[in-house]
Amino acid sequence: MSGPIVIGLDLGGTFIRAGLFHSSGELHGVRQAYMPTRESVQKGLEQIAALVIELTQEHGSAHLTGIGIGATGPIDARRGCIQNPFTLPGWEDVPIVDWLQDRFDLPVLLENDADMAALGEYWQGAGMDVTRLAVVTVGTGIGTACILDGKIYRGLEGVHPEIGHHVIDPSGPLCYCGAKGCWEVLASGTAIARTAHELLQAYPSSILWSKTAGGLEQIHAHMVAEAAKEDDPLAVRVIEQAGRYFSLGLVNLINFFVPEMIVLGGSVMNSLSLFMPFIERTITRHNVMVPATRVRIIPAKLGIHAGLYGAAFCILQKLEMSRYELD
Amino acid sequence: MSGPIVIGLDLGGTFIRAGLFHSSGELHGVRQAYMPTRESVQKGLEQIAALVIELTQEHGSAHLTGIGIGATGPIDARRGCIQNPFTLPGWEDVPIVDWLQDRFDLPVLLENDADMAALGEYWQGAGMDVTRLAVVTVGTGIGTACILDGKIYRGLEGVHPEIGHHVIDPSGPLCYCGAKGCWEVLASGTAIARTAHELLQAYPSSILWSKTAGGLEQIHAHMVAEAAKEDDPLAVRVIEQAGRYFSLGLVNLINFFVPEMIVLGGSVMNSLSLFMPFIERTITRHNVMVPATRVRIIPAKLGIHAGLYGAAFCILQKLEMSRYELD
């Protein structure tokens, strides 16, 4: 394998993923581990380093030129820190970029995971050549990024918008973001698991009882989606509620940006077929002021690897820019 | 007066306004008339032409070089038609641009009124030199435009986003846009008047009874705002409800665009002091994920004339471009 090699990392509230890429866009290997959120941050950093080492040992580290990281936001890109005390408690102000840079003696950069997933889909995925692209990533939270004319849209002081935390129903539950009934607290994977948990007592014959083996805190969005596919009444109700709110959030995204395309990614969107009827119905009902039905809504092509692609693309862009600066 | 002169028009559900501008940005005269919505469209067109003629007769028509129109959206800019059967019924497919072009033998263009108001504030108003500017115009409806790097943001097929119709509370009333509880149906001038109307019977001692002289359909947002300033309990309650929803819409706008500045205009925002406590409280409560409190929220500088400035600026930009094309 000749030419520059980079590693893209995706740090979430649940998993750490790492991918090794050739600059042409080929993915040569992926490693995944649980984020040790209940252990020390140092343990987390060592776990990240271990994945990088495993990948480079397997594929040869001779041409490794940089590491890009996408992480659950908000992040401080300048200081290279993750500033989300809710999803990654204890990581605030930890200089993760500096630490990896010192450890591997390579350029490292950190960006919001939703931005990275969007960039990945723009680079090698479903949104290639789309002028106004929105990418919505539904997992533990709801991350959203808009790519306008090939650039990630940022606001005041370069801040990443937090579309996942826009208010959809002020009578909804309180989110850590300060809002009641934001999109994420109503329709994320966490919201699906929480709602199933809340309603479980009212459904004594739900198959979720056996799936969780009595450990209710084990309920996960994926489990609920699988049960809904088996027509479990509780799971169907939970997915219906989340699906309605999720669709309203998409309608709002369309009202705000009117993108050509919305790409849906993240672990919850592996069950997109469950949500599609709600999305289609809701979009059609709101197709009055803007041509909502002409916005293409498609699944992410890169799946859970979108963030890895984006992180790799982002560090490649930075290395390319540095090269031009040297020329 | 030497140099090019243009006229900016603002067509709403209630008023027609016209302003005569020098290309340097000076406003030399304004005319206003009611939009004759209950009469024929022809009557409306003649009323528009009459205002143009009055202004040019008063200020000299020798240098009049174009007419810009901002109108209540959605509009079809290419065909030069207003396509809003709700606010301006009967005007759908009326070639207003062609009609005025023929009548005055001048270039005419038509854009969304919210875009025009935003452009006006960017040209000569509160938002000069602001990289990411959002302008919210609250009158009969809620119009919003975002100006990014000096350009009006447009979506798919050049469509103007309809941020005023994003859903804030799905348990709210049905809007003509197809949504329940969109921003406009909860917090526009029309919403304020409607809510006051709905609640009036429960407040037999409200001063609104005497102000309307028994004709309840005469209730107007301005009347409610004035009554709230006199601590009328009904009016205070209505403004409080609208203020809360209005503030949530601003929070959502901040979550989506994170603009440097939000400029608030339109007739309802003449009573901004009534709404400011709700805005400040809500923004502060939602200052977690994005630096919401660092977004400057200020009143429009050009007041109800913002749309006129923007319409004038827009036609001047177009004339300037044509001049370059001829060079």
Side-chain angles (χ1 to χ4, degrees):
Chain A
M1 200 160 51
S2 69
I5 300 295
V6 293
I7 280 181
L9 283 165
D10 185 7
L11 308 186
T14 311
F15 294 111
I16 307 169
R17 292 193 186 91
L20 185 137
F21 290 83
H22 188 260
S23 59
S24 63
E26 284 159 48
L27 173 59
H28 288 277
V30 175
R31 283 290 174 282
Q32 175 174 310
Y34 277 99
M35 174 65 85
T37 37
R38 287 173 193 180
E39 297 176 65
S40 69
V41 169
Q42 187 60 34
K43 190 95 178 175
L45 290 170
E46 294 295 346
Q47 180 63 77
I48 293 165
L51 294 184
V52 171
I53 291 164
E54 278 176 38
L55 274 172
T56 48
Q57 281 180 345
E58 189 170 333
H59 298 274
S61 63
H63 297 91
L64 185 65
T65 53
I67 299 172
I69 313 169
T72 181
I75 58 110
D76 183 332
R78 278 172 312 170
R79 291 172 57 226
C81 304
I82 302 166
Q83 304 294 53
N84 187 333
F86 308 100
T87 308
L88 281 177
W91 287 72
E92 310 94 275
D93 298 320
V94 172
I96 178 172
V97 165
D98 288 350
W99 190 88
L100 280 169
Q101 230 155 238
D102 291 349
R103 179 72 175 255
F104 293 103
D105 195 23
L106 288 170
V108 178
L109 65 73
L110 172 69
E111 290 287 354
N112 185 296
D113 56 357
D115 283 344
M116 290 306 204
L119 265 186
E121 291 293 339
Y122 182 80
W123 184 37
Q124 296 290 327
M128 284 168 86
D129 296 324
V130 173
T131 314
R132 294 174 201 81
L133 173 69
V135 178
V136 179
T137 307
V138 191
T140 307
I142 295 185
T144 302
C146 289
I147 301 196
L148 309 177
D149 298 315
K151 288 178 199 155
I152 287 183
Y153 175 78
R154 293 178 193 283
L156 162 74
E157 300 167 14
V159 164
H160 175 87
E162 290 288 344
I163 296 172
H165 291 284
H166 87 274
V167 177
I168 287 189
D169 187 346
S171 67
L174 183 67
C175 177
Y176 62 79
C177 74
K180 279 185 177 172
C182 69
W183 199 13
E184 175 166 315
V185 87
L186 293 169
S188 65
T190 308
I192 290 169
R194 188 197 63 236
T195 310
H197 196 158
E198 285 166 3
L199 294 174
L200 199 53
Q201 299 293 343
Y203 289 82
S205 60
S206 168
I207 57 175
L208 283 178
W209 283 103
S210 59
K211 291 208 180 191
T212 57
L216 295 192
E217 68 289 348
Q218 296 298 315
I219 293 182
H220 193 271
H222 175 69
M223 210 178 274
V224 181
E226 289 305 305
K229 284 175 195 162
E230 295 176 46
D231 292 325
D232 179 71
L234 164 61
V236 167
R237 177 174 163 190
V238 171
I239 294 296
E240 191 174 302
Q241 181 181 314
R244 282 199 186 131
Y245 281 124
F246 183 65
S247 306
L248 280 180
L250 291 183
V251 161
N252 284 350
L253 177 57
I254 291 171
N255 275 312
F256 269 88
F257 276 106
V258 203
E260 270 92 14
M261 182 189 282
I262 299 176
V263 169
L264 300 176
S267 59
V268 173
M269 287 298 112
N270 290 338
S271 305
L272 180 56
S273 62
L274 280 177
F275 293 96
M276 217 54 209
F278 301 104
I279 294 173
E280 282 170 0
R281 198 181 313 153
T282 307
I283 299 269
T284 303
R285 183 153 55 83
H286 291 85
N287 188 44
V288 177
M289 303 298 285
V290 294
T293 54
R294 291 213 293 283
V295 177
R296 281 182 294 163
I297 299 183
I298 62 172
K301 198 171 161 188
L302 306 175
I304 56 169
H305 292 157
L308 303 184
Y309 276 89
F313 183 51
C314 204
I315 188 71
L316 280 167
Q317 282 183 312
K318 192 184 174 181
L319 294 168
E320 186 74 0
M321 283 195 329
S322 310
R323 203 172 59 79
Y324 285 130
E325 279 164 17
L326 289 173
D327 282 352
Chain B
M1 201 158 52
S2 70
I5 299 295
V6 293
I7 280 180
L9 283 165
D10 185 8
L11 310 184
T14 311
F15 295 111
I16 307 169
R17 294 193 184 93
L20 186 137
F21 289 83
H22 188 261
S23 59
S24 63
E26 284 159 49
L27 173 59
H28 288 279
V30 176
R31 284 287 175 282
Q32 176 174 310
Y34 276 99
M35 174 63 85
T37 37
R38 287 172 193 181
E39 297 176 65
S40 69
V41 169
Q42 187 60 34
K43 190 93 178 177
L45 290 170
E46 293 296 346
Q47 181 63 77
I48 293 165
L51 294 184
V52 171
I53 291 164
E54 278 176 39
L55 274 172
T56 48
Q57 281 180 346
E58 192 173 329
H59 297 274
S61 62
H63 297 91
L64 186 66
T65 52
I67 299 172
I69 312 170
T72 180
I75 59 111
D76 184 332
R78 278 172 313 171
R79 292 172 56 226
C81 304
I82 302 166
Q83 304 294 53
N84 186 333
F86 308 100
T87 308
L88 282 176
W91 286 72
E92 308 94 276
D93 298 321
V94 173
I96 178 173
V97 164
D98 289 350
W99 191 89
L100 280 169
Q101 229 155 239
D102 291 349
R103 178 74 173 255
F104 293 103
D105 194 24
L106 289 170
V108 178
L109 64 74
L110 172 70
E111 290 288 354
N112 185 296
D113 56 356
D115 283 344
M116 290 306 203
L119 266 186
E121 292 293 340
Y122 182 79
W123 185 36
Q124 297 289 328
M128 286 168 84
D129 297 324
V130 173
T131 314
R132 296 174 200 81
L133 174 68
V135 179
V136 180
T137 309
V138 191
T140 307
I142 295 184
T144 303
C146 290
I147 301 198
L148 309 177
D149 298 315
K151 286 177 199 154
I152 287 182
Y153 176 77
R154 292 176 194 286
L156 163 74
E157 299 167 16
V159 164
H160 175 89
E162 290 288 345
I163 297 172
H165 291 283
H166 86 273
V167 176
I168 287 189
D169 187 347
S171 66
L174 184 66
C175 178
Y176 63 80
C177 75
K180 280 186 177 173
C182 69
W183 199 14
E184 176 165 316
V185 87
L186 293 170
S188 65
T190 307
I192 290 169
R194 188 197 63 238
T195 310
H197 196 158
E198 285 166 3
L199 294 174
L200 201 53
Q201 299 293 343
Y203 290 82
S205 60
S206 168
I207 58 175
L208 284 178
W209 282 103
S210 59
K211 289 206 181 192
T212 58
L216 294 193
E217 69 288 348
Q218 296 298 314
I219 293 181
H220 193 271
H222 176 68
M223 210 178 275
V224 181
E226 290 303 305
K229 285 174 193 163
E230 295 176 45
D231 291 325
D232 179 72
L234 164 60
V236 166
R237 178 174 162 188
V238 172
I239 294 295
E240 190 174 302
Q241 182 180 315
R244 282 198 187 132
Y245 281 125
F246 182 65
S247 306
L248 281 180
L250 290 183
V251 162
N252 284 351
L253 176 57
I254 291 171
N255 275 312
F256 269 89
F257 276 106
V258 202
E260 269 92 15
M261 182 191 283
I262 299 176
V263 169
L264 301 175
S267 58
V268 173
M269 286 298 111
N270 289 339
S271 305
L272 180 55
S273 62
L274 281 177
F275 294 95
M276 218 53 211
F278 301 104
I279 294 173
E280 282 171 359
R281 198 179 315 151
T282 308
I283 299 269
T284 303
R285 182 153 56 84
H286 292 85
N287 188 46
V288 177
M289 304 296 285
V290 294
T293 55
R294 291 213 293 282
V295 177
R296 280 182 294 163
I297 299 183
I298 62 172
K301 197 171 161 189
L302 306 173
I304 56 169
H305 293 156
L308 304 183
Y309 276 89
F313 182 52
C314 204
I315 187 70
L316 280 167
Q317 281 183 314
K318 191 184 175 182
L319 293 168
E320 185 74 1
M321 282 192 335
S322 309
R323 203 171 61 79
Y324 286 128
E325 278 164 17
L326 289 171
D327 284 351

